[in-house]
Amino acid sequence: MALGALEAGGTKMVCSIGDEHGRLWTRETFPTTTPAETIPLLIDFFRRHPVEALGIGSFGPLDLRPDSPTYGYITSTPKLAWVQCPLLPTLAEALGVPVGLDTDVNAAALAEHALGAARGLSGCLYITVGTGIGGGLVVEGRMVHGLLHPELGHIWLRPHPDDPAPHGFCPYHDGCLEGMASGPALQKRWGRPACELEASHPAWTLEAHYLAQMCMTAIVAFSPEKIILGGGVMQQAHLFPRIRAEVRRMLGGYVRHRAVEADIDQYIVPPGLGADSGATGALLLAARAAGGNSPG
């Protein structure tokens, strides 16, 4: 079964073709500019590579209520050109195939739970740290939606005492995780993109502090069986031991479980599927939309 996968990100759109088992065959990347410029490129790709169904993992917030008149729309995103963009309806009408949609991080969490770092567990939390910060949560094998969907990128934080920009850069919130620790926040604070900051730069002390606050909040609020940290900023491998040490310090011995106390190196981890978590999850969403079987 030929299936389409769209990773709709704030910086780029990645279109892939694969199958219901999560195997990826080909992909192409397009810049995320405006809907009028970008969506025709996506439609053209999937017309050149016909599929039986399409799965979309998109930046948000999204309207994921099937009974809503704006189901499948991107809603109050900081990317102003995409506010109230009818992403799912537009692609479904143009391609004439079933379309499955979820947040980009829920798609990645689905893939990591089915095939990656959380395989065999009942649930996990996937966090992406890149252009934005978002969290996808799987509990008892099901992706969590609720009133809308989790927005862990917008939890409030305590600023680090050495932070030169303690209010962060989110246009909606003063001092939220995305405004403090996303890739754009790092660049605005330090004047250079994250990939150019050396491992000894003080930026990483602050970054570990903020991401550890998020992990601690998740541990006490959701008790995930595994926390998976992906996205462009997490390509800095030295961040993981710093975050783990900060999490243990912040918990202060309160959570008495081997995963946190002795095995934290196996508890807070990078994606098992590497850079393919999002695309693989979108393929699994496409398989569900088509009514077929998939590992998810």
Side-chain angles (χ1 to χ4, degrees), residues 7 12 14 24 27 112 126 231 235 271-280:
E7 297 173 84
K12 62 185 178 180
V14 182
L24 294 159
R27 71 177 60 184
E112 288 292 327
Y126 180 96
Q235 298 302 309
L273 298 173
D276 290 334
S277 301
T280 303

Side-chain angles (χ1 to χ4, degrees), residues 50-96:
V51 295
E52 296 179 49
L54 173 65
I56 304 172
S58 175
F59 69 92
L62 301 172
D63 185 344
L64 297 177
R65 300 166 295 167
D67 60 345
S68 168
T70 56
Y71 171 60
Y73 281 49
I74 298 172
T75 60
S76 55
T77 174
K79 291 190 69 64
L80 298 181
W82 291 81
V83 171
Q84 291 303 116
C85 172
L87 183 63
L88 183 152
T90 302
L91 291 173
E93 181 178 357
L95 300 175

Side-chain angles (χ1 to χ4, degrees), residues 13-292:
M13 300 276 180
V14 182
C15 297
S16 303
I17 306 296
D19 64 22
E20 67 273 23
H21 304 293
R23 293 179 295 221
L24 294 159
W25 302 338
T26 187
R27 71 177 60 184
E28 195 167 335
T29 300
F30 306 96
T32 303
T33 56
T34 66
E37 293 176 345
T38 302
I39 290 179
L41 300 176
L42 311 180
I43 293 170
D44 176 68
F45 174 87
F46 290 114
R47 284 179 173 166
R48 287 186 282 114
H49 303 277
V51 295
E52 296 179 49
L54 173 65
I56 304 172
S58 175
F59 69 92
L62 301 172
D63 185 344
L64 297 177
R65 300 166 295 167
D67 60 345
S68 168
T70 56
Y71 171 60
Y73 281 49
I74 298 172
T75 60
S76 55
T77 174
K79 291 190 69 64
L80 298 181
W82 291 81
V83 171
Q84 291 303 116
C85 172
L87 183 63
L88 183 152
T90 302
L91 291 173
E93 181 178 357
L95 300 175
V97 298
V99 180
L101 172 72
D102 216 310
T103 63
D104 49 0
V105 282
N106 258 0
L110 173 66
E112 288 292 327
H113 177 251
L115 299 168
R119 188 171 188 172
L121 303 178
S122 67
C124 65
L125 174 66
Y126 180 96
I127 300 290
T128 186
V129 187
T131 304
I133 298 180
L137 184 63
V138 176
V139 176
E140 300 299 330
R142 297 174 62 88
M143 292 180 292
V144 173
H145 293 140
L147 186 66
L148 185 62
H149 50 74
E151 283 284 0
L152 285 173
H154 294 274
I155 60 173
W156 283 3
L157 303 176
R158 291 184 178 181
H160 191 282
D162 297 330
D163 193 341
H167 299 286
F169 303 94
C170 176
Y172 289 94
H173 309 118
D174 183 339
C176 75
L177 177 63
E178 183 169 292
M180 303 291 265
S182 66
L186 281 165
Q187 182 161 356
K188 288 177 182 177
R189 183 185 284 109
W190 304 109
R192 287 187 285 159
C195 62
E196 295 181 6
L197 299 173
E198 58 276 10
S200 60
H201 195 283
W204 302 118
T205 297
L206 273 61
E207 188 74 3
H209 179 76
Y210 293 138
L211 294 176
Q213 284 190 60
M214 178 277 299
C215 290
M216 178 188 169
T217 297
I219 290 167
V220 297
F222 312 125
S223 200
E225 291 186 65
K226 195 170 289 280
I227 296 176
I228 302 162
L229 303 178
V233 172
M234 295 309 303
Q235 298 302 309
Q236 304 282 337
H238 62 84
L239 260 180
F240 281 91
R242 297 184 188 205
I243 293 167
R244 293 167 186 143
E246 276 288 275
V247 168
R248 293 185 65 180
R249 183 187 68 81
M250 291 175 181
L251 286 171
Y254 180 73
V255 176
R256 311 295 295 183
H257 192 283
R258 182 176 179 82
V260 174
E261 295 180 308
D263 296 331
I264 197 165
D265 288 359
Q266 303 304 315
Y267 179 65
I268 299 174
V269 298
L273 298 173
D276 290 334
S277 301
T280 303
L283 285 180
L284 300 183
L285 290 173
R288 290 183 174 191

